[in-house]
Amino acid sequence: KSGYAVRKFKNVDVNGNPGSDSSGNHPDMDVPVIRLAEVYLNYAEAVARGGGGTTSTAVSLINELRSRAGAPAMSSSEFSKNAVMDERARELYWEGFRRPDLIRDNKFITGAYMWPFKGGAANGTSVSDHFKLFPIPEDILLVNPNIKQNPNY
């Protein structure tokens, strides 16, 4: 009733026809475990971070995604680690990748990247290093006394 509704996946076939459940309660598709777009972006990030591959292939893969989305093509001169991370943010929106992407890129806790109310400040602020890890749920700690809570939780 409040906030933003995000409709990323729809229960339609490749031709846009609705799914077979007319009530709309049960989708015909499975939950995506890994999408081809993620594989393309993983390749591009590996290239951008010096892990091998070619810039031309990485740009071509990104442009396949951009073409599908109706976005302008990326040129080889625009290709960079930051451009790939921005592309990941757009393509993988609401799929649970942004936090680990920011941690991997050393932007989650530092002042290098801000968003409103990061660290509880209206304009954002850096946060403690311990936020790179989640706390271990109490029910897990109670079941196994050998597991120790992550520091500062």
Side-chain angles (χ1 to χ4, degrees):
K1 303 215 178 208
S2 64
Y4 295 100
V6 175
R7 187 169 181 178
K8 182 150 182 148
F9 299 106
K10 297 184 265 186
N11 190 26
V12 296
D13 67 15
V14 71
N15 297 315
N17 299 314
S20 60
D21 177 26
S22 59
S23 74
N25 293 325
H26 305 285
D28 294 338
M29 66 176 212
D30 293 328
V31 174
V33 175
I34 188 166
R35 295 194 300 122
L36 185 58
E38 181 187 352
V39 174
Y40 285 2
L41 292 166
N42 289 347
Y43 178 90
E45 184 179 351
V47 171
R49 291 182 185 275
T54 66
T55 298
S56 62
T57 300
V59 169
S60 175
L61 294 172
I62 288 173
N63 284 334
E64 281 188 48
L65 301 176
R66 289 178 146 233
S67 174
R68 185 209 68 233
M74 174 186 285
S75 68
S76 291
S77 64
E78 294 172 301
F79 181 80
S80 68
K81 179 178 64 91
N82 286 337
V84 172
M85 298 309 282
D86 288 347
E87 199 67 34
R88 287 182 63 84
R90 286 185 292 269
E91 177 65 36
L92 302 173
Y93 182 69
W94 274 79
E95 293 183 41
F97 290 95
R98 190 65 176 156
R99 184 180 190 273
D101 283 356
L102 290 173
I103 290 170
R104 188 172 60 255
D105 213 23
N106 201 31
K107 293 180 178 178
F108 187 72
I109 61 167
T110 68
Y113 183 78
M114 294 294 179
W115 58 86
F117 296 99
K118 175 182 178 182
N123 294 321
T125 188
S126 59
V127 296
S128 171
D129 190 52
H130 81 278
F131 286 113
K132 287 184 187 177
L133 298 174
F134 283 117
I136 299 171
E138 186 177 357
D139 60 334
I140 301 299
L141 295 170
L142 292 173
V143 169
N144 187 343
N146 295 318
I147 297 176
K148 303 295 179 215
Q149 181 60 272
N150 287 324
N152 298 313
Y153 286 105

